[in-house]
Amino acid sequence: MKQPRAWQRMLSGRRLDLLDPTPVDIEIDDIAHGLAFVARWNGQTMGDYAYSVAEHSLLVEALFARLCPQAGAAERLTALLHDAPEYVIGDMISPVKAAVGPGYSELDTRLTAAIHIRFGLPAVTPKGLKTRIKKADRISAWMEATSVAGFSEAEANRFFGKPDPALLEGLSITLRPPVEVRRDFTARHAALLALT
């Protein structure tokens, strides 16, 4: 019996095997393009453009830098790439991930390892770093929930925790065309990679 196809052709021309991804098939342009077109919140956000995973990733990296001002470029790059596998497996809200089961998590883990190795990061994010990035991720989720996803502050506080207002100073949620977000994500990746 013929096995089902497990690879996806990327715009770069690479064939990424989703079940056994290799670092040589990972390209930042593919990641940036995919993430710029993947909508957070299942697309249920206000505005003329979807709030993309690429935009979210830029915000998480900025929040992480505020939470961890002594973090090095490699740690900040890890924060920027924290949702990178979603460029091919999509973004699912937590209730859907729970319903899908461990299969989604296994795909995410394999893709994360290949992406990290491609850009000179540890295949597995150290637990302490992962916890700090998750804190920035939750603050970002609170900002998104209250700015574009229709949550009240009380509801967002209940689900994501109330962030320190000082951490949010000068930051805002921006809805932009995918081409702009893709460009900024790629530029931020290049800047951090050059410092690692």
Side-chain angles (χ1 to χ4, degrees), residues 7-24:
W7 57 267
Q8 176 174 342
R9 184 189 182 285
M10 310 309 296
L11 288 177
S12 64
R14 300 277 189 195
R15 286 188 179 190
L16 180 65
D17 185 335
L18 300 175
L19 300 179
D20 187 23
T22 62
V24 297

Side-chain angles (χ1 to χ4, degrees), residues 31-43 50-61 79-92 97 104 137 140 144 174-175 178 181-182 185:
I31 293 171
H33 182 82
L35 294 183
F37 282 91
V38 173
R40 297 256 305 154
W41 304 92
N42 280 346
Y51 186 72
S52 72
V53 174
E55 195 78 73
H56 162 78
S57 298
L58 288 163
L59 180 58
V60 168
E61 191 263 328
L80 181 70
L81 296 172
H82 79 283
D83 280 339
E86 294 177 8
Y87 85 108
V88 287
I89 59 175
D91 181 38
M92 290 189 213
K97 286 179 186 175
Y104 181 90
D137 192 35
S140 176
E144 296 162 25
T174 305
L175 300 176
V181 182
R182 179 181 65 205
F185 184 93

Side-chain angles (χ1 to χ4, degrees), residues 25-195:
D25 291 321
I26 305 293
E27 296 290 344
I28 193 58
D29 290 337
D30 292 334
I31 293 171
H33 182 82
L35 294 183
F37 282 91
V38 173
R40 297 256 305 154
W41 304 92
N42 280 346
Q44 298 302 303
T45 53
M46 298 173 270
D48 293 332
Y49 297 102
Y51 186 72
S52 72
V53 174
E55 195 78 73
H56 162 78
S57 298
L58 288 163
L59 180 58
V60 168
E61 191 263 328
L63 286 164
F64 174 77
R66 289 179 177 204
L67 287 167
C68 308
Q70 303 304 317
E75 292 174 312
R76 291 181 70 170
L77 182 58
T78 304
L80 181 70
L81 296 172
H82 79 283
D83 280 339
E86 294 177 8
Y87 85 108
V88 287
I89 59 175
D91 181 38
M92 290 189 213
I93 59 173
S94 296
V96 175
K97 286 179 186 175
V100 169
Y104 181 90
S105 180
E106 291 166 9
L107 278 174
D108 185 91
T109 298
R110 286 194 293 271
L111 283 162
T112 296
I115 291 164
H116 282 194
I117 291 167
R118 170 66 174 87
F119 299 115
L121 301 171
V124 177
T125 304
K127 188 175 181 181
L129 176 56
K130 193 170 191 172
T131 299
R132 294 192 310 273
I133 292 170
K134 188 64 182 169
K135 184 173 182 180
D137 192 35
R138 290 180 65 81
I139 295 168
S140 176
W142 184 93
M143 290 178 68
E144 296 162 25
T146 58
S147 297
V148 294
F151 284 56
S152 68
E153 282 197 23
E155 190 177 21
N157 292 346
R158 190 167 63 251
F159 287 112
F160 308 110
K162 183 177 174 134
D164 177 354
L167 281 171
L168 310 182
E169 195 171 315
L171 296 176
S172 62
I173 299 297
T174 305
L175 300 176
R176 302 185 289 160
V179 66
E180 291 179 18
V181 182
R182 179 181 65 205
R183 179 198 62 223
D184 289 353
F185 184 93
T186 304
R188 188 67 189 139
H189 176 269
L192 290 170
L193 194 61
L195 296 172

